[in-house]
Amino acid sequence: MFSGVRSLGYIFIGSDKHIFYFGPDIEPVATARPGDIIHFETMDCFANQIRSEAQLITQIDLSKANPATGPVFIEGADRGDVLKVEILDIKTSDKGIVAIAPGFGFLGDKVKEPRTKICDIRENYVYFTGKGFAHFVEIKLPYRPMIGVIGVASDEKIPCVIPGRHGGNMDTKLITKGTTVYLPVLKRGGLLAIGDLHAVMGDGEVCVTGCEVSGEVLVRVDLIEDNPTPWPILETDDAYYIVVSRENINDALYEATDLAVKVLAHSLALSWDEAYMFASMAVDIQISQIVNAVKTIRARIPKEYTTATKLMEALKQ
Ligand code: CA
Ligand code: CA
């Protein structure tokens, strides 16, 4: 639990209140005001169905994949606004699950049989243990908790395993403590839901899971009125990221690049040609995940070259 946070405008949402899809008709389980702090308790991406390494992802009910806790109605949020979500803290369970199965993940054609591995999490490390070629191995990875699913009500029914303009299963490791996520409000109240925490994940999430954990997330919500954004935006200490999800990864790469050039042209008062040349030196195109049915990439624009206001003005046009 998070200590010291019991102020007015604090809302707790238990993991029993969850959705398996985003859509226009999802029902709010609570109401928050701009400025409020919301504490989400989340199940892992398997709805906590896996308890031992003997349980395989091929044996569980995958219709219960990626439950997202919520949704929360934000007072005053209307279509065309942006919901600002500051990630204040993330806590996770002390065990995490990594799993493979034939046909799952980027190299799913090479996987011969399903396997589940449970990793211990302690003292800021995730422990990957098992039998190597001839000996027992234990490799530790830095604990870097992040949020896989964060989104709002969408125009169409979209399962929580699919990312999109509404956010959803973006599986972006930068969605972590200290980051601000800007989501386009598509329905009245926004309807924010969060789930699918990972104790650590690499860009790509190649085998189809991160280190899957249940946990808790503390966020502060706010509204930026009348500022539609076509895709979720992330803000970290030093950069903004436009997060684009498309079925075809090339379409995602093209659209994110195009938008980044537009942002630079507007922010720096450059012609499109100049902004395009400048982007080639200043913008990083990065992969978030390549294993969901819809792929997610992000364009990184350093803060030296734009502001949240300029960026949103440019994307609005
Ligand atoms: Ca995920
Ligand atoms: Ca996951």
Side-chain angles (χ1 to χ4, degrees), residues 3-301:
S3 55
V5 187
R6 290 292 182 275
S7 61
L8 207 66
Y10 165 90
I11 294 151
F12 173 79
I13 317 285
S15 63
D16 56 316
K17 299 189 175 78
H18 57 263
I19 50 173
F20 290 107
Y21 67 88
F22 291 93
D25 61 343
I26 52 175
E27 290 288 333
V29 297
T31 298
R33 292 189 185 137
D36 281 353
I37 286 173
I38 313 175
H39 178 174
F40 292 88
E41 178 190 57
T42 62
M43 286 190 274
D44 71 25
C45 71
F46 309 113
N48 298 352
Q49 293 175 90
I50 294 182
R51 297 291 182 189
S52 81
E53 293 187 343
Q55 287 175 282
L56 305 170
I57 53 174
T58 46
Q59 296 167 334
I60 61 167
D61 180 358
L62 284 177
S63 73
K64 294 194 172 131
N66 277 12
T69 302
V72 180
F73 186 98
I74 315 299
E75 276 183 17
D78 270 308
R79 192 179 181 92
D81 297 341
V82 166
L83 180 61
K84 180 179 177 186
V85 187
E86 288 173 76
I87 317 289
L88 304 177
D89 209 353
I90 302 177
K91 295 221 158 74
T92 71
S93 50
D94 58 6
K95 299 218 184 287
I97 298 160
V98 190
I100 56 172
F104 286 75
F106 200 60
L107 306 181
D109 59 316
K110 293 194 153 191
V111 179
K112 300 213 166 43
E113 57 188 32
R115 280 192 63 190
T116 297
K117 187 182 284 291
I118 295 186
C119 299
D120 281 335
I121 302 164
R122 58 181 193 273
E123 288 148 10
N124 280 322
Y125 286 99
V126 173
Y127 288 81
F128 184 94
T129 56
K131 203 162 157 37
F133 286 108
H135 60 287
F136 181 77
V137 290
E138 180 175 78
I139 311 164
K140 60 180 188 179
L141 299 99
Y143 175 62
R144 292 192 178 122
M146 52 154 282
I147 300 169
V149 173
I150 176 168
V152 290
S154 47
D155 287 327
E156 283 157 25
K157 185 171 175 172
I158 303 174
C160 287
V161 294
I162 303 290
R165 295 186 188 278
H166 69 296
N169 194 18
M170 295 182 284
D171 284 323
T172 297
K173 70 182 186 187
L174 301 173
I175 303 180
T176 186
K177 181 178 174 176
T179 296
T180 298
V181 183
Y182 299 91
L183 295 165
V185 175
L186 302 169
K187 296 286 157 194
R188 206 168 73 84
L191 299 173
L192 176 67
I194 290 178
D196 184 30
L197 306 184
H198 301 161
V200 62
M201 187 196 100
D203 281 337
E205 203 189 17
V206 294
C207 97
V208 82
T209 73
C211 181
E212 304 292 336
V213 283
S214 56
E216 296 170 68
V217 179
L218 201 64
V219 304
R220 183 186 295 113
V221 290
D222 214 336
L223 280 179
I224 303 171
E225 285 182 14
D226 190 28
N227 228 327
T229 170
W231 294 100
I233 308 293
L234 308 182
E235 178 180 355
T236 63
D237 281 352
D238 57 358
Y240 294 96
Y241 298 79
I242 305 168
V243 184
V244 177
S245 298
R246 298 286 292 268
E247 238 168 274
N248 181 321
I249 196 168
N250 281 327
D251 292 344
L253 294 165
Y254 186 94
E255 188 165 351
T257 306
D258 189 34
L259 292 173
V261 172
K262 205 169 156 183
V263 167
L264 289 175
H266 178 71
S267 305
L268 302 171
L270 297 174
S271 69
W272 186 88
D273 288 20
E274 287 171 325
Y276 185 34
M277 289 190 278
F278 188 79
S280 199
M281 297 183 287
V283 169
D284 292 314
I285 301 296
Q286 301 174 343
I287 283 172
S288 285
Q289 59 77 22
I290 49 173
V291 290
N292 299 328
V294 173
K295 322 294 177 213
T296 304
I297 66 104
R298 55 187 190 254
R300 177 183 188 274
I301 307 171

